[in-house]
């Protein structure tokens, strides 16, 4: 399997076991590439245009010129992130994107937000297998600083995730959630 086939395999949501040496080797190779690119991003100053170019290289997709990120930014895969227009990432975000992260137009991601898309099996037989579940963030979402979004979560359009929240379940549109685990606080009108 070549790297393009492997990236497509991952985008299709396939699990990977630690015993599968070929897939594990490709995963490590891709991760080191993501580390190389994010190290370039995080260790020197860049213009907004340069940051857009770096994220385009990282994701393998053209990132809209309206995108903005304040580094540092970290990811372990990079090739399964999709950004809409006018997306903002504040400093210190960390994305585990092999399972897929899609962020809609106008969304703002606060400082030190972590987004995870992988889980391990609970049983010992599957403990070293990673199971992907995508995270979908709608349009005009605001995720507060230090929030954590867990695998498989969808956050509806116009919603707000309070700082420090741990989102374990889907968030309906036009909703504020807060807490650990995140719970409904109020509707946005």
């Amino acid at each position: 399997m070549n790297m393009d086939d492997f990236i497509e395999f991952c985008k299709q949501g396939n699990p990977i076991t630690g015993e599968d040496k070929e897939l594990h080797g490709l995963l490590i190779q891709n991760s080191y590439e993501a580390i190389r690119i994010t190290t370039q991003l995080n260790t020197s100053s860049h213009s907004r245009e340069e940051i857009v170019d770096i994220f385009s290289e990282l994701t393998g997709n053209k990132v809209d010129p309206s995108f903005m990120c304040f580094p540092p930014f970290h990811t372990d895969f990079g090739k399964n992130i999709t950004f809409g227009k006018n997306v903002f990432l504040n400093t210190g975000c960390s994305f585990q994107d092999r399972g897929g992260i899609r962020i809609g137009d106008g969304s703002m991601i606060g400082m030190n937000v972590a987004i995870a898309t992988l889980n391990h099996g609970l049983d010992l037989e599957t403990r070293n297998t990673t199971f992907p579940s995508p995270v979908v963030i709608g349009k005009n979402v605001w995720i507060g600083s230090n929030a954590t979004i867990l695998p498989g979560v969808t956050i509806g359009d116009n919603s707000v995730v309070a700082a420090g929240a741990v989102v374990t379940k889907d968030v309906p549109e036009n909703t504020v959630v807060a807490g650990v685990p995140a719970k409904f606080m109020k509707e946005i009108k």
Side-chain angles (χ1 to χ4, degrees), residues 69-73 88-94 109-113 145:
C69 174
F70 293 162
F73 172 82
F88 171 70
L89 306 181
N90 211 331
T91 186
C93 289
S94 184
I109 313 297
M111 293 186 338
N112 303 316
V113 167
S145 296

Side-chain angles (χ1 to χ4, degrees), residues 40-189:
Q40 174 191 0
L41 172 72
N42 296 333
T43 58
S44 63
S45 180
H46 302 281
S47 69
R48 183 174 184 175
E49 294 78 15
E50 290 169 333
I51 289 173
V52 167
D53 290 343
I54 291 169
F55 270 87
S56 295
E57 179 185 7
L58 176 67
T59 63
N61 296 307
K62 179 74 176 133
V63 173
D64 192 82
S66 63
F67 173 80
M68 181 181 273
C69 174
F70 293 162
F73 172 82
H74 302 281
T75 186
D76 66 339
F77 191 72
K79 298 297 187 222
N80 207 359
I81 307 171
T82 304
F83 298 108
K85 295 179 180 179
N86 297 304
V87 169
F88 171 70
L89 306 181
N90 211 331
T91 186
C93 289
S94 184
F95 290 5
Q96 179 194 56
D97 69 283
R98 185 165 56 88
I101 298 172
R102 199 168 65 230
I103 301 175
D105 295 348
S107 289
M108 302 181 300
I109 313 297
M111 293 186 338
N112 303 316
V113 167
I115 300 176
T117 65
L118 299 175
N119 217 333
H120 290 270
L122 186 59
D123 296 331
L124 288 177
E125 297 81 32
T126 59
R127 184 86 38 99
N128 84 354
T129 299
T130 51
F131 297 94
S133 295
V135 168
V136 177
I137 298 170
K139 295 179 180 178
N140 303 308
V141 171
W142 173 21
I143 300 177
S145 296
N146 296 301
T148 300
I149 313 301
L150 294 184
V153 166
T154 295
I155 300 173
D157 293 349
N158 310 313
S159 290
V160 175
V161 174
V166 177
V167 183
T168 62
K169 297 178 183 171
D170 290 353
V171 175
E173 61 183 32
N174 302 305
T175 301
V176 177
V177 297
V180 179
K183 293 187 181 353
F184 172 84
M185 292 289 121
K186 66 181 182 177
E187 191 173 324
I188 301 169
K189 297 183 183 200

Side-chain angles (χ1 to χ4, degrees), residues 6 9-10 14-20 23-24 27 77 98 120 128-132:
F6 173 70
F9 174 86
C10 292
N14 294 296
I16 296 177
T17 68
E19 286 81 30
D20 190 322
L23 293 179
H24 201 256
L27 179 59
F77 191 72
R98 185 165 56 88
H120 290 270
N128 84 354
T129 299
T130 51
F131 297 94

